[in-house]
Amino acid sequence: MSRDTVKEFEFNGRDFERVRALIYKRAGISLADSKQEMVYSRLARRLRATGIMSFAKYLDDLEAGKMPGEWESFTNALTTNLTSFFREAHHFPLLAEHAKKHRGEQLTIWCSASSTGEEPYSIAITVCEAFNTLTPPVQIIATDIDTNVLATAANGIYPIDRIEKLTADQQRRFFLRGKGDKAGMVRARPELRQLITYRPLNLLDEQWDIRGQFDVIFCRNVMIYFDKPTQRKILSRFVPLMKPDGLLFAGHSENFLYVSDALKLRGKTVYELEDKARSVQQGMQKRA
Ligand SMILES: C[S@@+](CC[C@H](N)C(=O)[O-])C[C@H]1O[C@@H](n2cnc3c(N)ncnc32)[C@H](O)[C@@H]1O
């Protein structure tokens, strides 16, 4: 028996091409040829949930707008949300240093692909430690296209092994341990959760529901899913949202120098504004 004949739903190359085109248009995500199996298994769940028996019919109904809310579920199913606390740990001392440099000011930080929350909580913990308080002067806006991960992030509940790399002091100071049927789970303390506001945001959208100038923008491990023109466009929209000495943190395999001439390297995968862009932003700050 061939592998295809044991599949629960028929899924052919044309279906894959359709999915690929739809998710690219909607989320900017470029799926490689090797992702066929992944697409099948993730969307097979949507077929089961909607009771549709073939990929072709599912995609027809999706495109025809016959299933309310299904675009969101389709998108949620196809995002990759891998993340962890203090991922790419070398970024956080730099964040702490930047926060301390701005002591006495209200810091604003945008975490633009926050996934299940480990990244914004790591940012919040870093700022708390920098100012030695659970109520530091910081507002963190955490956004993602995937509404499921945002709900997980806002809940702030994780299996205990997710925080095992944190120091014992960090675990105690920033998390509550579950008891009874919640044993084995931890929850970010309310003070930490209060520092972060979550909202859905598609980096591909023409309008972003985001205002102001940020001290720091985190955009890590999401640009890798986008092609160069998309990356260029997004970076050109980050620049006016940065304070003159603002920092932009990228993922380990993301090099923005080839994509934007308004940015220069400040550290390993950390960027700041180039001189010209910086003076434009200084002018904007004065006018504001
Ligand atoms: C691999 S995770 C990275 C999470 C975190 N930034 C980190 O580095 O650990 C990528 C995240 O980008 C989000 N994403 C994908 N396309 C997006 C888009 N067009 N707009 C906003 N977020 C998007 C996904 O939902 C996912 O949560």
PDB file of all heavy atoms in Angstrom, residues 27 29 79-84 87 112-113 115 119 144-146 149 201-204 220-222 225-226, ligand 1:
ATOM      1  N   ALA A  27      -0.139  35.611   5.718  1.00  0.00           N
ATOM      2  CA  ALA A  27       0.793  35.813   6.845  1.00  0.00           C
ATOM      3  C   ALA A  27       2.222  36.076   6.399  1.00  0.00           C
ATOM      4  O   ALA A  27       3.092  36.316   7.234  1.00  0.00           O
ATOM      5  CB  ALA A  27       0.758  34.593   7.759  1.00  0.00           C
ATOM      6  N   ILE A  29       4.147  33.909   5.265  1.00  0.00           N
ATOM      7  CA  ILE A  29       4.953  32.715   5.560  1.00  0.00           C
ATOM      8  C   ILE A  29       5.242  31.948   4.268  1.00  0.00           C
ATOM      9  O   ILE A  29       4.316  31.575   3.542  1.00  0.00           O
ATOM     10  CB  ILE A  29       4.223  31.823   6.586  1.00  0.00           C
ATOM     11  CG1 ILE A  29       4.045  32.579   7.910  1.00  0.00           C
ATOM     12  CG2 ILE A  29       4.954  30.500   6.789  1.00  0.00           C
ATOM     13  CD1 ILE A  29       3.183  31.867   8.951  1.00  0.00           C
ATOM     14  N   THR A  79       1.246  28.343  11.765  1.00  0.00           N
ATOM     15  CA  THR A  79       2.393  29.064  12.321  1.00  0.00           C
ATOM     16  C   THR A  79       3.269  28.086  13.122  1.00  0.00           C
ATOM     17  O   THR A  79       2.786  27.072  13.615  1.00  0.00           O
ATOM     18  CB  THR A  79       1.954  30.199  13.275  1.00  0.00           C
ATOM     19  OG1 THR A  79       1.157  29.622  14.304  1.00  0.00           O
ATOM     20  CG2 THR A  79       1.176  31.272  12.555  1.00  0.00           C
ATOM     21  N   THR A  80       4.527  28.414  13.211  1.00  0.00           N
ATOM     22  CA  THR A  80       5.460  27.617  14.021  1.00  0.00           C
ATOM     23  C   THR A  80       5.823  28.464  15.226  1.00  0.00           C
ATOM     24  O   THR A  80       6.296  29.593  15.065  1.00  0.00           O
ATOM     25  CB  THR A  80       6.703  27.262  13.186  1.00  0.00           C
ATOM     26  OG1 THR A  80       6.243  26.449  12.102  1.00  0.00           O
ATOM     27  CG2 THR A  80       7.722  26.488  13.994  1.00  0.00           C
ATOM     28  N   ASN A  81       5.583  27.940  16.410  1.00  0.00           N
ATOM     29  CA  ASN A  81       5.623  28.782  17.613  1.00  0.00           C
ATOM     30  C   ASN A  81       6.766  28.459  18.565  1.00  0.00           C
ATOM     31  O   ASN A  81       6.730  28.831  19.737  1.00  0.00           O
ATOM     32  CB  ASN A  81       4.279  28.660  18.362  1.00  0.00           C
ATOM     33  CG  ASN A  81       3.082  28.887  17.462  1.00  0.00           C
ATOM     34  OD1 ASN A  81       2.265  27.999  17.262  1.00  0.00           O
ATOM     35  ND2 ASN A  81       2.972  30.083  16.906  1.00  0.00           N
ATOM     36  N   LEU A  82       7.757  27.759  18.069  1.00  0.00           N
ATOM     37  CA  LEU A  82       8.871  27.353  18.933  1.00  0.00           C
ATOM     38  C   LEU A  82       9.497  28.559  19.657  1.00  0.00           C
ATOM     39  O   LEU A  82       9.850  29.555  19.025  1.00  0.00           O
ATOM     40  CB  LEU A  82       9.948  26.667  18.092  1.00  0.00           C
ATOM     41  CG  LEU A  82      11.116  26.125  18.892  1.00  0.00           C
ATOM     42  CD1 LEU A  82      10.725  24.823  19.577  1.00  0.00           C
ATOM     43  CD2 LEU A  82      12.331  25.922  18.003  1.00  0.00           C
ATOM     44  N   THR A  83       9.634  28.455  20.956  1.00  0.00           N
ATOM     45  CA  THR A  83      10.209  29.548  21.740  1.00  0.00           C
ATOM     46  C   THR A  83      10.660  28.995  23.085  1.00  0.00           C
ATOM     47  O   THR A  83      10.410  27.826  23.405  1.00  0.00           O
ATOM     48  CB  THR A  83       9.176  30.691  21.928  1.00  0.00           C
ATOM     49  OG1 THR A  83       9.815  31.804  22.544  1.00  0.00           O
ATOM     50  CG2 THR A  83       7.971  30.268  22.770  1.00  0.00           C
ATOM     51  N   SER A  84      11.329  29.799  23.875  1.00  0.00           N
ATOM     52  CA  SER A  84      11.681  29.362  25.238  1.00  0.00           C
ATOM     53  C   SER A  84      12.036  30.596  26.069  1.00  0.00           C
ATOM     54  O   SER A  84      12.298  31.673  25.511  1.00  0.00           O
ATOM     55  CB  SER A  84      12.866  28.389  25.220  1.00  0.00           C
ATOM     56  OG  SER A  84      13.960  28.971  24.579  1.00  0.00           O
ATOM     57  N   ARG A  87      15.561  32.641  25.510  1.00  0.00           N
ATOM     58  CA  ARG A  87      16.148  32.129  24.272  1.00  0.00           C
ATOM     59  C   ARG A  87      17.155  33.174  23.787  1.00  0.00           C
ATOM     60  O   ARG A  87      16.907  34.374  23.900  1.00  0.00           O
ATOM     61  CB  ARG A  87      15.024  31.961  23.255  1.00  0.00           C
ATOM     62  CG  ARG A  87      15.447  31.389  21.948  1.00  0.00           C
ATOM     63  CD  ARG A  87      14.251  31.285  21.026  1.00  0.00           C
ATOM     64  NE  ARG A  87      14.565  30.486  19.869  1.00  0.00           N
ATOM     65  CZ  ARG A  87      13.725  30.298  18.869  1.00  0.00           C
ATOM     66  NH1 ARG A  87      12.510  30.834  18.896  1.00  0.00           N
ATOM     67  NH2 ARG A  87      14.057  29.566  17.833  1.00  0.00           N
ATOM     68  N   SER A 112       7.252  41.669  19.000  1.00  0.00           N
ATOM     69  CA  SER A 112       6.355  41.633  17.833  1.00  0.00           C
ATOM     70  C   SER A 112       6.019  40.236  17.301  1.00  0.00           C
ATOM     71  O   SER A 112       5.254  40.123  16.350  1.00  0.00           O
ATOM     72  CB  SER A 112       6.953  42.477  16.708  1.00  0.00           C
ATOM     73  OG  SER A 112       8.121  41.859  16.216  1.00  0.00           O
ATOM     74  N   ALA A 113       6.593  39.205  17.881  1.00  0.00           N
ATOM     75  CA  ALA A 113       6.196  37.822  17.521  1.00  0.00           C
ATOM     76  C   ALA A 113       6.359  37.005  18.791  1.00  0.00           C
ATOM     77  O   ALA A 113       7.255  36.193  18.941  1.00  0.00           O
ATOM     78  CB  ALA A 113       7.064  37.271  16.401  1.00  0.00           C
ATOM     79  N   SER A 115       4.718  34.722  20.425  1.00  0.00           N
ATOM     80  CA  SER A 115       4.388  33.304  20.578  1.00  0.00           C
ATOM     81  C   SER A 115       3.699  33.065  21.933  1.00  0.00           C
ATOM     82  O   SER A 115       2.886  33.889  22.361  1.00  0.00           O
ATOM     83  CB  SER A 115       5.634  32.443  20.398  1.00  0.00           C
ATOM     84  OG  SER A 115       5.252  31.083  20.327  1.00  0.00           O
ATOM     85  N   GLU A 119       9.005  34.802  25.637  1.00  0.00           N
ATOM     86  CA  GLU A 119       9.859  35.951  25.290  1.00  0.00           C
ATOM     87  C   GLU A 119       9.426  37.224  26.038  1.00  0.00           C
ATOM     88  O   GLU A 119      10.262  37.842  26.711  1.00  0.00           O
ATOM     89  CB  GLU A 119       9.863  36.159  23.780  1.00  0.00           C
ATOM     90  CG  GLU A 119      10.827  37.219  23.312  1.00  0.00           C
ATOM     91  CD  GLU A 119      10.911  37.245  21.785  1.00  0.00           C
ATOM     92  OE1 GLU A 119       9.976  37.757  21.143  1.00  0.00           O
ATOM     93  OE2 GLU A 119      11.909  36.756  21.246  1.00  0.00           O
ATOM     94  N   ASP A 144       1.258  38.944  18.186  1.00  0.00           N
ATOM     95  CA  ASP A 144       1.529  37.784  17.339  1.00  0.00           C
ATOM     96  C   ASP A 144       0.322  37.646  16.413  1.00  0.00           C
ATOM     97  O   ASP A 144      -0.777  38.099  16.752  1.00  0.00           O
ATOM     98  CB  ASP A 144       1.692  36.510  18.205  1.00  0.00           C
ATOM     99  CG  ASP A 144       2.416  35.397  17.476  1.00  0.00           C
ATOM    100  OD1 ASP A 144       1.811  34.780  16.558  1.00  0.00           O
ATOM    101  OD2 ASP A 144       3.594  35.134  17.792  1.00  0.00           O
ATOM    102  N   ILE A 145       0.537  36.991  15.297  1.00  0.00           N
ATOM    103  CA  ILE A 145      -0.605  36.756  14.394  1.00  0.00           C
ATOM    104  C   ILE A 145      -1.501  35.636  14.933  1.00  0.00           C
ATOM    105  O   ILE A 145      -2.686  35.581  14.642  1.00  0.00           O
ATOM    106  CB  ILE A 145      -0.102  36.392  12.972  1.00  0.00           C
ATOM    107  CG1 ILE A 145      -1.234  36.471  11.961  1.00  0.00           C
ATOM    108  CG2 ILE A 145       0.552  35.024  12.935  1.00  0.00           C
ATOM    109  CD1 ILE A 145      -0.793  36.295  10.512  1.00  0.00           C
ATOM    110  N   ASP A 146      -0.918  34.749  15.737  1.00  0.00           N
ATOM    111  CA  ASP A 146      -1.607  33.528  16.168  1.00  0.00           C
ATOM    112  C   ASP A 146      -2.365  33.802  17.472  1.00  0.00           C
ATOM    113  O   ASP A 146      -1.753  34.039  18.522  1.00  0.00           O
ATOM    114  CB  ASP A 146      -0.528  32.433  16.353  1.00  0.00           C
ATOM    115  CG  ASP A 146      -1.107  31.083  16.721  1.00  0.00           C
ATOM    116  OD1 ASP A 146      -2.183  31.031  17.341  1.00  0.00           O
ATOM    117  OD2 ASP A 146      -0.453  30.078  16.417  1.00  0.00           O
ATOM    118  N   VAL A 149      -1.737  31.274  20.550  1.00  0.00           N
ATOM    119  CA  VAL A 149      -0.531  31.452  21.381  1.00  0.00           C
ATOM    120  C   VAL A 149      -0.676  32.679  22.280  1.00  0.00           C
ATOM    121  O   VAL A 149      -0.171  32.697  23.405  1.00  0.00           O
ATOM    122  CB  VAL A 149       0.781  31.508  20.553  1.00  0.00           C
ATOM    123  CG1 VAL A 149       1.074  30.183  19.907  1.00  0.00           C
ATOM    124  CG2 VAL A 149       0.824  32.642  19.558  1.00  0.00           C
ATOM    125  N   LEU A 201      -1.573  40.906  16.084  1.00  0.00           N
ATOM    126  CA  LEU A 201      -1.068  41.817  15.052  1.00  0.00           C
ATOM    127  C   LEU A 201      -0.342  40.994  13.981  1.00  0.00           C
ATOM    128  O   LEU A 201       0.549  40.206  14.292  1.00  0.00           O
ATOM    129  CB  LEU A 201      -0.118  42.850  15.673  1.00  0.00           C
ATOM    130  CG  LEU A 201       0.359  43.968  14.728  1.00  0.00           C
ATOM    131  CD1 LEU A 201       0.495  45.299  15.460  1.00  0.00           C
ATOM    132  CD2 LEU A 201       1.683  43.628  14.044  1.00  0.00           C
ATOM    133  N   ASN A 202      -0.793  41.202  12.762  1.00  0.00           N
ATOM    134  CA  ASN A 202      -0.155  40.551  11.617  1.00  0.00           C
ATOM    135  C   ASN A 202       0.878  41.520  11.050  1.00  0.00           C
ATOM    136  O   ASN A 202       0.523  42.618  10.607  1.00  0.00           O
ATOM    137  CB  ASN A 202      -1.234  40.226  10.574  1.00  0.00           C
ATOM    138  CG  ASN A 202      -0.667  39.521   9.361  1.00  0.00           C
ATOM    139  OD1 ASN A 202       0.548  39.382   9.204  1.00  0.00           O
ATOM    140  ND2 ASN A 202      -1.559  39.069   8.493  1.00  0.00           N
ATOM    141  N   LEU A 203       2.136  41.143  11.077  1.00  0.00           N
ATOM    142  CA  LEU A 203       3.191  42.047  10.607  1.00  0.00           C
ATOM    143  C   LEU A 203       3.024  42.388   9.130  1.00  0.00           C
ATOM    144  O   LEU A 203       3.598  43.363   8.640  1.00  0.00           O
ATOM    145  CB  LEU A 203       4.570  41.414  10.851  1.00  0.00           C
ATOM    146  CG  LEU A 203       5.001  41.374  12.314  1.00  0.00           C
ATOM    147  CD1 LEU A 203       6.210  40.457  12.515  1.00  0.00           C
ATOM    148  CD2 LEU A 203       5.316  42.782  12.843  1.00  0.00           C
ATOM    149  N   LEU A 204       2.220  41.616   8.443  1.00  0.00           N
ATOM    150  CA  LEU A 204       1.998  41.860   7.018  1.00  0.00           C
ATOM    151  C   LEU A 204       0.913  42.905   6.755  1.00  0.00           C
ATOM    152  O   LEU A 204       0.814  43.433   5.641  1.00  0.00           O
ATOM    153  CB  LEU A 204       1.555  40.542   6.365  1.00  0.00           C
ATOM    154  CG  LEU A 204       2.299  40.162   5.109  1.00  0.00           C
ATOM    155  CD1 LEU A 204       3.732  39.848   5.486  1.00  0.00           C
ATOM    156  CD2 LEU A 204       1.651  38.956   4.475  1.00  0.00           C
ATOM    157  N   ARG A 220      12.159  38.517  16.781  1.00  0.00           N
ATOM    158  CA  ARG A 220      13.112  37.409  16.718  1.00  0.00           C
ATOM    159  C   ARG A 220      12.452  36.147  16.157  1.00  0.00           C
ATOM    160  O   ARG A 220      11.350  35.773  16.538  1.00  0.00           O
ATOM    161  CB  ARG A 220      13.651  37.127  18.124  1.00  0.00           C
ATOM    162  CG  ARG A 220      14.263  38.379  18.789  1.00  0.00           C
ATOM    163  CD  ARG A 220      15.097  38.061  20.002  1.00  0.00           C
ATOM    164  NE  ARG A 220      14.448  37.201  20.967  1.00  0.00           N
ATOM    165  CZ  ARG A 220      15.063  36.629  21.995  1.00  0.00           C
ATOM    166  NH1 ARG A 220      16.351  36.848  22.185  1.00  0.00           N
ATOM    167  NH2 ARG A 220      14.402  35.862  22.835  1.00  0.00           N
ATOM    168  N   ASN A 221      13.164  35.546  15.244  1.00  0.00           N
ATOM    169  CA  ASN A 221      12.771  34.240  14.694  1.00  0.00           C
ATOM    170  C   ASN A 221      11.395  34.234  14.043  1.00  0.00           C
ATOM    171  O   ASN A 221      10.659  33.253  14.117  1.00  0.00           O
ATOM    172  CB  ASN A 221      12.867  33.165  15.796  1.00  0.00           C
ATOM    173  CG  ASN A 221      14.259  33.135  16.401  1.00  0.00           C
ATOM    174  OD1 ASN A 221      15.229  32.958  15.682  1.00  0.00           O
ATOM    175  ND2 ASN A 221      14.370  33.376  17.696  1.00  0.00           N
ATOM    176  N   VAL A 222      11.074  35.352  13.416  1.00  0.00           N
ATOM    177  CA  VAL A 222       9.853  35.379  12.596  1.00  0.00           C
ATOM    178  C   VAL A 222      10.203  35.814  11.164  1.00  0.00           C
ATOM    179  O   VAL A 222       9.632  35.304  10.209  1.00  0.00           O
ATOM    180  CB  VAL A 222       8.749  36.277  13.229  1.00  0.00           C
ATOM    181  CG1 VAL A 222       9.174  37.703  13.390  1.00  0.00           C
ATOM    182  CG2 VAL A 222       7.466  36.204  12.424  1.00  0.00           C
ATOM    183  N   TYR A 225      10.707  33.396   8.234  1.00  0.00           N
ATOM    184  CA  TYR A 225       9.603  32.808   7.454  1.00  0.00           C
ATOM    185  C   TYR A 225       9.223  33.687   6.267  1.00  0.00           C
ATOM    186  O   TYR A 225       8.428  33.269   5.427  1.00  0.00           O
ATOM    187  CB  TYR A 225       8.365  32.591   8.341  1.00  0.00           C
ATOM    188  CG  TYR A 225       8.647  31.665   9.499  1.00  0.00           C
ATOM    189  CD1 TYR A 225       8.810  32.157  10.790  1.00  0.00           C
ATOM    190  CD2 TYR A 225       8.810  30.298   9.290  1.00  0.00           C
ATOM    191  CE1 TYR A 225       9.113  31.305  11.843  1.00  0.00           C
ATOM    192  CE2 TYR A 225       9.103  29.446  10.337  1.00  0.00           C
ATOM    193  CZ  TYR A 225       9.256  29.963  11.602  1.00  0.00           C
ATOM    194  OH  TYR A 225       9.561  29.117  12.643  1.00  0.00           O
ATOM    195  N   PHE A 226       9.758  34.914   6.224  1.00  0.00           N
ATOM    196  CA  PHE A 226       9.360  35.868   5.185  1.00  0.00           C
ATOM    197  C   PHE A 226      10.433  35.973   4.103  1.00  0.00           C
ATOM    198  O   PHE A 226      11.625  35.810   4.381  1.00  0.00           O
ATOM    199  CB  PHE A 226       9.156  37.266   5.788  1.00  0.00           C
ATOM    200  CG  PHE A 226       8.167  37.327   6.926  1.00  0.00           C
ATOM    201  CD1 PHE A 226       8.297  38.297   7.919  1.00  0.00           C
ATOM    202  CD2 PHE A 226       7.096  36.444   7.007  1.00  0.00           C
ATOM    203  CE1 PHE A 226       7.385  38.376   8.969  1.00  0.00           C
ATOM    204  CE2 PHE A 226       6.188  36.516   8.056  1.00  0.00           C
ATOM    205  CZ  PHE A 226       6.330  37.481   9.034  1.00  0.00           C
TER     206      PHE A 226
HETATM  207  C1  LIG B   1       9.314  30.652  15.961  1.00  0.00           C
HETATM  208  S1  LIG B   1       8.206  31.724  16.790  1.00  0.00           S
HETATM  209  C2  LIG B   1       9.347  32.854  17.545  1.00  0.00           C
HETATM  210  C3  LIG B   1       8.872  33.278  18.903  1.00  0.00           C
HETATM  211  C4  LIG B   1       9.825  34.230  19.641  1.00  0.00           C
HETATM  212  N1  LIG B   1       9.931  35.491  18.969  1.00  0.00           N
HETATM  213  C5  LIG B   1      11.177  33.609  19.826  1.00  0.00           C
HETATM  214  O1  LIG B   1      12.133  34.024  19.170  1.00  0.00           O
HETATM  215  O2  LIG B   1      11.296  32.692  20.644  1.00  0.00           O
HETATM  216  C6  LIG B   1       7.543  32.694  15.433  1.00  0.00           C
HETATM  217  C7  LIG B   1       6.260  33.428  15.784  1.00  0.00           C
HETATM  218  O3  LIG B   1       5.955  34.338  14.729  1.00  0.00           O
HETATM  219  C8  LIG B   1       4.557  34.379  14.560  1.00  0.00           C
HETATM  220  N2  LIG B   1       4.228  34.882  13.208  1.00  0.00           N
HETATM  221  C9  LIG B   1       4.305  34.231  12.029  1.00  0.00           C
HETATM  222  N3  LIG B   1       3.887  35.023  11.030  1.00  0.00           N
HETATM  223  C10 LIG B   1       3.548  36.204  11.585  1.00  0.00           C
HETATM  224  C11 LIG B   1       3.034  37.431  11.067  1.00  0.00           C
HETATM  225  N4  LIG B   1       2.775  37.584   9.778  1.00  0.00           N
HETATM  226  N5  LIG B   1       2.792  38.439  11.936  1.00  0.00           N
HETATM  227  C12 LIG B   1       3.036  38.298  13.265  1.00  0.00           C
HETATM  228  N6  LIG B   1       3.503  37.156  13.813  1.00  0.00           N
HETATM  229  C13 LIG B   1       3.759  36.123  12.981  1.00  0.00           C
HETATM  230  C14 LIG B   1       4.123  32.942  14.799  1.00  0.00           C
HETATM  231  O4  LIG B   1       2.760  32.840  15.137  1.00  0.00           O
HETATM  232  C15 LIG B   1       5.060  32.513  15.926  1.00  0.00           C
HETATM  233  O5  LIG B   1       4.463  32.649  17.185  1.00  0.00           O
END
